[in-house]
Structures are given as structure tokens and as C-alpha cells.
Amino acid sequence: MKVLNLYGVNDLRLDEKDMPICKADEVLVKVKYCGICGSDIQRVYAKGTYHFPTVIGHEFSGVVKYDTENKLTGKKVAVFPLLPCFNCESCEKGNYASCSDYDYYGSRRDGGMAEYIAVKRWNLIVLNDSVPIEQGAMLEPVAVARHATMKLGNIQGMNILISGAGPIGLIAAQWSKLFGAKAIYFFDIDKQKIDFAKKMGFYEYNNDEIDAAIEGTGASDALSHCLKALKAGGKITLMGNPIREIALSQNDYWDILRKELQLFGTWNSSYNDTVNDWKEGVDAITRGDINLEPLITHKYKLEQYKEAFELMYKRKEFYNKVMFQIN
Ligand SMILES: [Zn+2]
Ligand SMILES: [Zn+2]
């Protein structure tokens, strides 16, 4: 089968690999779509993976080709990419994203930029017919965005500022609307991204009064901007992965103190019986409350991987969600 194998930083190759062999707790998934995450750009061009080579890709959906128990064969599925240890304190609470010893499809072990992958049954989310399979490949960002938005608590009637109008920001905006926010404003250094957000019914931030914010870029300037924009008593979720040191000026820090701002961290998503951002995501897509279709701007074949990665890395043209369509 064909896979995208990362052999080192700047060394991604279209490779041939043996078909995976399923263990008793796994099913064989024929991958249909796999999104390229911003974190994959970091992996390929800067940080690498935990060991080499690794098949990257953690945002994927497909069809179950083979199930030893024969229950899931033919079903459309998405995949929660985290494999918890089930032993640590966080796992005991069902807080798998904070597991101290986890594995991960597409970074610590082989992922979804492949024709096939063996996936543990526990990690499968079965999709109903109302969820287009390519949107199933976006359930990860949908879940991550929901998790981040939920951290803000009640946002009914509030003005929300989201920094970063990429896929997760635009999905967080849709969740915010669903949770009753009054208006959603965007801040982004890329004018085209702002225009895209406006087309989806959101606003460009222009010194409006902000009750709650989501920082989605991991850049100091953006965080500083959010802290300034927030009203006294405001709250902010820190979601963006920092690309370098995050530094705050004395005034930014005073903003936190004087306005008594509340800062929340968010990491990944909830995936347990009590809170399940993934299942909520499927339901919201099914109801039409979350609309992912306009976000998918580019589809590539695995063979076009150089083009696909360079588009995002070099920002060659406007894009939102870029994904591989794998036949
Ligand atoms: Zn991702
Ligand atoms: Zn654990």
C-alpha cells in the first residue's frame, strides 16, 4: 500500500509499505480522507516525529474493510487518534488527553496518510449517513474547537473574539454561535482569512467590546491583542500551539491583573462517556449546526504530497482545510 512516510525533518516520501496486520482489538480501515493539520507542517518542516520513519496524519476517516468480529465491516468511521495508557491518574478519570503515557496515530505511531491503517475499536467513531465522509476527516478539529469553546463556560449573549481564522478558529466560531454568543469577531494578520470569515457571517475585530476570547495562533502578539480587547472580568482560552517563546509585556500582564481576566488552557478534546466532543461533533454536523463544507478548500491525491505541503508551508495561495483524498 502507499503511505506518506516521514524519514526526518524535510524528508517526506511517498512509500510502499506492507499492509498492516490487525490485532484482536483492531479493525482494518481503508482511509478515504486525511486532513493536513498545522501540526503536520511543524512535523515535516521543523520538529519531526518521535521516531523515524513514521506515517503521519491524525485527521482521517475511512471505511472499515475488515473486522475480525465482523460487526463494523463496511461502516464509515472517523478516528480519535489518541491511544491512552488506561492506567494513569488522568486515564482513571477518563481524561485521556492528559494521559501521561499515551500513543498517537500519526505522530508516535503510524497514522492516516496511507491507503490502509489498523485502528483499535475503542478509537472508532461510526459516522451516520448524514455525515459526508470527507467531513468525518475533520472531526478532530471539530472536537478540539468544541473543547476549547466549552472552556469559556456560559457565553450566552456574549461578544467573542477569535484570534486565527484557520479551520479550528472558524469551527470554534460556529460552536460559539451554537452556544448562544451574540457576535463573533476575528483577528488575523491574513486579510484573505478575514474575508473568508466574513463570508461565513462573522466580523472583523475593530476595537469592539469583547467578553470572551479564544487565542488560536500561539503567537505573543496575538495573545497580547486578545488581552487588550477583553473587558474587565473577561475570559480567554489559550488554544494555539506556541511556535516559539510566548512573551508578554508588563502592560499585557497588568491587563490580566487589573481586569481580573480568567485564562484557561485547552488540550485536545474529551472522549469519554460523560463528555465526548467527538460524538457531539457528529451530532452537530448531522443537525447541520456545524457546516464544514466551505472549509475544505483543497483536495489532493497522496502522489501530490509535495504540492499539498508546500501550499501550506509557503502559503502559496489562500487555503483553509487541505486534505488528501485517498482511493
Ligand atoms: Zn490536528
Ligand atoms: Zn494514561
Side-chain angles (χ1 to χ4, degrees), residues 63-105:
V63 174
V64 177
K65 187 85 182 165
Y66 174 73
D67 173 11
T68 43
E69 292 178 3
N70 223 342
K71 284 178 193 153
L72 296 167
T73 311
K75 295 261 189 244
K76 278 195 308 191
V77 291
V79 175
F80 176 60
L82 190 144
L83 297 135
C85 75
F86 293 111
N87 281 319
C88 71
E89 209 183 313
S90 294
C91 280
E92 266 164 30
K93 291 179 193 151
N95 204 351
Y96 302 117
S98 304
C99 172
S100 56
D101 185 24
Y102 65 91
D103 210 338
Y104 210 88
Y105 292 118

Side-chain angles (χ1 to χ4, degrees), residues 37-40 58-59 104 140-141 144 168 321:
C37 182
S39 67
D40 293 323
H58 58 271
E59 300 181 2
Y104 210 88
E140 197 253 7
V144 167
I168 300 189
K321 191 76 224 174

